[in-house]
Amino acid sequence: MSEIILVGVDGSETAQRAARRAAELAVKIDAELVVLTAHASDNAEVVSIGSDTWILDDAEQARKLAQRVANDVRNAVPGVKISAAAGHGKPGDVLISDATERGASMIVVGNVGMKGLGRVLGSVASSVAHSAPCDVLVVKTDGK
């Protein structure tokens, strides 16, 4: 059975950096990488303009975001085995729950929010590091 690495993304450039780093690691250890994003609500809204109608669904938008990041990473890191997923809830909780369900060997997150006020109020990286069922890699993504 292949190892699984999860990486949490939110559409930001720093999350993209963490995803690329996770992909590089996944290739080196021949693991599967799962790009995971969270959505806070299960809202679905129908929007009609003229004869056009769109259904805006938070869960679907989250899945599309994760897939877009997975596609970008696949292009940047040849040979990575990658998939995308989304979960409902707070980002840290979604990462921990998904890691538990999949039997992941590692969660990768960026370090944004681990300094200054974010350090006091908490961050995704901090909550995951304290509660994860597996190893956690905090990637320096803040550019400093």
Side-chain angles (χ1 to χ4, degrees), residues 76-136:
V77 182
V80 66
K81 295 179 281 191
I82 192 167
S83 62
H88 176 258
K90 293 179 182 178
D93 295 343
V94 168
L95 284 165
I96 292 163
S97 174
D98 200 87
T100 301
E101 289 173 18
R102 293 177 190 268
S105 56
M106 181 180 292
I107 299 173
V108 177
V109 291
N111 72 328
V112 171
M114 291 195 71
K115 294 191 260 181
L117 187 58
R119 183 173 48 96
V120 175
L121 298 176
S123 69
V124 172
S126 180
S127 66
V128 169
H130 285 96
S131 302
C134 58
D135 294 339
V136 176

Side-chain angles (χ1 to χ4, degrees), residues 9-64:
V9 299
D10 62 5
S12 67
E13 177 55 36
T14 57
Q16 188 82 14
R17 287 184 211 140
R20 284 191 297 265
R21 185 77 159 126
E24 291 165 357
L25 180 61
V27 168
K28 287 180 182 176
I29 66 170
D30 193 30
E32 175 190 352
L33 178 63
V34 178
V35 176
L36 182 63
T37 192
H39 55 96
S41 65
D42 278 330
N43 292 334
E45 184 177 340
V46 177
V47 177
S48 295
I49 299 175
S51 62
D52 294 329
T53 301
W54 294 275
I55 299 175
L56 304 176
D57 180 341
D58 288 349
E60 182 61 24
Q61 294 306 311
R63 281 189 289 276
K64 285 180 180 179

